[in-house]
Amino acid sequence: MIGPNKIKTAIFISGSGTNLKSLYKFSLTKKSPIKIGLVISNNKDAKGLLFSKKKKIISKVFNFKRKIIVEHKILKELKKRKIRLICLAGFMKILSKNFIKKFKGKIINIHPSLLPKYKGLNTHQRAINNSEKFSGCTIHLVNHKLDSGKIILQKRIKIHKQDTSKSLAKRILKEEHKLYPKAVIKLYC
Ligand code: GRF
């Protein structure tokens, strides 16, 4: 039974949606303070949409080519569904300062590095190229600067000598799936 007073949450995705899956599973548990009321994607082919449709989660695709107009539409949708938390999960678009200001709830993101190191893309290859001993993943509040909001939780993992960006990404993704629910609990409980 999903409690009536759980925090209605929207998950923003662009791709495979493995973090969406783990957040959805978590949202069905008793200790979850959230329930997922909406999935938004900028990519109509995102595999995560197959999952959200299978679970009958309301899912909307928006074309981010006209960012100002689309952000306005999304804000209307979020308001209509009383969304109070946005979880960016593999979402590859940058939300504007105006959107972040207008959305009265919290926006959090998962980034596959130990922020503030390795903001942006290709984090695993960059960490390997720099012979880093550790990498990991970070959940942070979203502000108008890329990957720069207040850190909520991080998980550090060792980079192995023989790691490629593929093998490292795979190991970190597993940690992401555990970290995201923990960060939601930390935020609300
Ligand atoms: C993950 O590595 C996540 O850290 C990054 O996007 C990748 C794919 O995430 N933001 P998902 O499988 O779509 O949740």
Side-chain angles (χ1 to χ4, degrees):
M1 170 58 182
I2 297 190
N5 53 358
K6 292 214 171 189
I7 294 151
K8 279 195 82 179
T9 298
I11 316 285
F12 284 33
I13 62 169
S14 298
S16 46
T18 62
N19 279 288
L20 160 63
K21 273 187 197 132
S22 69
L23 281 168
Y24 175 76
K25 283 196 200 99
F26 165 67
S27 72
L28 301 181
T29 64
K30 263 209 272 313
K31 62 180 179 336
S32 164
I34 64 167
K35 66 180 174 184
I36 297 175
L38 180 63
V39 168
I40 283 183
S41 182
N42 61 299
N43 170 13
K44 66 177 174 32
D45 302 322
K47 266 178 59 201
L49 290 171
L50 298 176
F51 176 80
S52 58
K53 286 183 177 122
K54 195 173 80 181
K55 298 297 179 184
K56 300 197 177 6
I57 306 167
I58 298 161
S59 309
K60 306 252 174 195
V61 177
F62 291 94
N63 175 339
F64 268 68
K65 282 201 180 54
R66 317 224 339 239
K67 187 163 170 176
I68 312 286
I69 296 171
V70 99
E71 286 191 342
H72 182 73
K73 279 188 199 164
I74 292 174
L75 283 164
K76 252 174 73 181
E77 190 67 33
L78 294 167
K79 197 169 166 143
K80 179 177 151 192
R81 299 188 188 282
K82 301 186 178 49
I83 299 293
R84 290 193 286 137
L85 169 66
I86 295 174
C87 293
L88 306 183
F91 187 64
M92 302 309 274
K93 291 292 177 186
I94 310 268
L95 296 167
S96 72
K97 201 170 174 178
N98 179 55
F99 179 95
I100 294 164
K101 197 161 63 61
K102 287 262 172 62
F103 176 65
K104 296 300 166 223
K106 286 188 170 64
I107 307 176
I108 60 179
N109 180 44
I110 184 151
H111 181 76
S113 81
L114 291 174
L115 289 175
K117 292 179 96 172
Y118 303 108
K119 296 176 182 173
L121 299 173
N122 302 321
T123 58
H124 308 304
Q125 194 54 59
R126 289 158 57 202
I128 291 169
N129 292 351
N130 280 2
S131 312
E132 294 285 356
K133 300 240 173 323
F134 296 98
S135 182
C137 43
T138 303
I139 311 275
H140 63 94
L141 285 170
V142 170
N143 64 19
H144 62 288
K145 286 196 295 232
L146 181 72
D147 299 330
S148 301
K150 184 173 172 293
I151 290 174
I152 300 168
L153 269 186
Q154 290 190 300
K155 171 73 181 169
R156 192 179 77 163
I157 65 150
K158 219 171 145 19
I159 298 179
H160 301 151
K161 263 192 316 306
Q162 74 284 7
D163 257 327
T164 62
S165 63
K166 201 163 175 307
S167 62
L168 183 58
K170 198 161 170 245
R171 228 170 39 254
I172 291 179
L173 195 56
K174 276 203 189 75
E175 294 305 326
E176 292 179 26
H177 300 157
K178 293 182 265 183
L179 194 69
Y180 222 146
K182 283 195 185 123
V184 168
I185 289 177
K186 182 172 178 189
L187 210 54
Y188 290 105
C189 298

